[in-house]
Amino acid sequence: MPDVLQSIQDLLIMLASFVVVLSVVVFVHEFGHFQMARWRGVAIDTFSIGFGKTLLGWRDKSGVQWKIGALPLGGYVKFADDADAMSTGPREKIVDPVALAEARGRGLFHAQSLSTRSLVVAAGPLTNFIFSILAFAMLAFIVGRDTPTRIDRVSPGSAAESAGMIPGDVILSINGQAVASFEDIQPVVSSSLNVPLQVVVQRGPSEVPLTVTPRASPSNPNAGAMGVAHEASFATRERIDPLSALGEGAKNTWNIVAQTGAYLGAVITGRESGDQIAGPLGIINVSGQVANSALSGGDDGDWAGRLGILVLSLLNLAAVLSVAVGIVNLLPIPILDGGHLLFYGIEAVRGGRPLPASAQEWAYRAGFAVMASLFLFATWNDITRLFPGAQ
């Protein structure tokens, strides 16, 4: 019975963590659309976190309906003249110039100028990136920056051991490029499978040059790994000022963007498999692991400390996921923000004339099919990772 109760508790923690993290990221994204629309005088009908049956809802003094849906897998901002929650088009197409000007004055989204519509659409992903920068900056300011690149553990039989690395070495540079933290090392090593790297380490008073050839990572056979570990702790972290923390936030956000872009490019060109693409099940699993790890650390009676670690851990996860949401939404796929921006670009090239409604309808159908396929593919990846016997 205790095992069953523990399993139920772990499941509840997992689901609660997932809902909290995803809801924060979705709120950030949709708030970007919402606030830019407010600034540009666009009339808003609904702001929803989640889909399906309304669990909680109210209408504010501006007439906006705020909703929390039963299915926490996204959200939307619905403008006053939207035909649907995806803003694929207006309920009624206005052609007459006088009526169009009147609709624009009333704040109808689809009657707005090309610049206003573009700003409103782009604001969602942009706000995701801003949130990630600020979240990473807050984490860096609170817990400090892990600047030492000290090697605390070398895996037996690893590339690092073969190259002569030992615990206590401090990595100074790779291929002539100085490194300040393990976060700087990972992208270089993971993209250098079977490629020799010239590494300089500090060993006591001396600088020692070594040649390390990364081998396949145990967690990803397509990525390189040296086989070293750094045991980060508060004692080894450097306290930094707010401005430096903001720089850390921007650097961490950019690193995720660059790594994700490189990975997606490699998948598209066939140099990488898509098995690292995760879906909802993967996010739920990671959320649960982060939460359970945070709650299981520290002293048994120190619940305040555990709660603090949990909040910081989930904030870090939300920052990472927010970058991913921003990147995905900028993909030029109809029904996503990037697809809308693509249509607006075509409209600008055509001298202010949008694509015919029939062409847009077919594009949205194709976009929906692409997203449904990606969802199924990502879910299958999740299943094969969580349940290897399902392959």
Side-chain angles (χ1 to χ4, degrees), residues 309-331:
I309 295 173
L310 174 63
V311 171
L312 294 177
S313 299
L314 292 182
L315 179 61
N316 182 74
L317 179 59
V320 173
L321 186 58
S322 187
V323 179
V325 169
I327 293 172
V328 169
N329 270 277
L330 285 176
L331 295 177

Side-chain angles (χ1 to χ4, degrees), residues 25-35 47-49 75-77:
V25 173
V26 169
F27 177 84
V28 166
H29 180 88
E30 298 305 334
F31 186 76
H33 294 310
F34 174 85
Q35 191 58 53
F47 187 114
S48 178
I49 301 298
Y76 60 89
V77 171

Side-chain angles (χ1 to χ4, degrees), residues 14 27 45-46 91 93 105 126 134-135 148 150 184 193 207 217 219 232 239 246 284 309 315 349 372 380:
M14 181 184 297
F27 177 84
D45 179 72
T46 305
R91 288 196 305 268
K93 185 172 179 60
L126 178 62
L134 295 177
R150 174 189 172 90
D184 296 333
L193 178 62
E207 293 186 5
S217 168
S219 60
R239 290 300 185 188
L246 193 60
I284 291 173
I309 295 173
L315 179 61
V349 171
W380 175 250

Side-chain angles (χ1 to χ4, degrees), residues 261-274:
Y263 175 68
L264 290 177
V267 170
I268 292 172
T269 56
R271 291 182 289 109
E272 290 272 12
S273 69

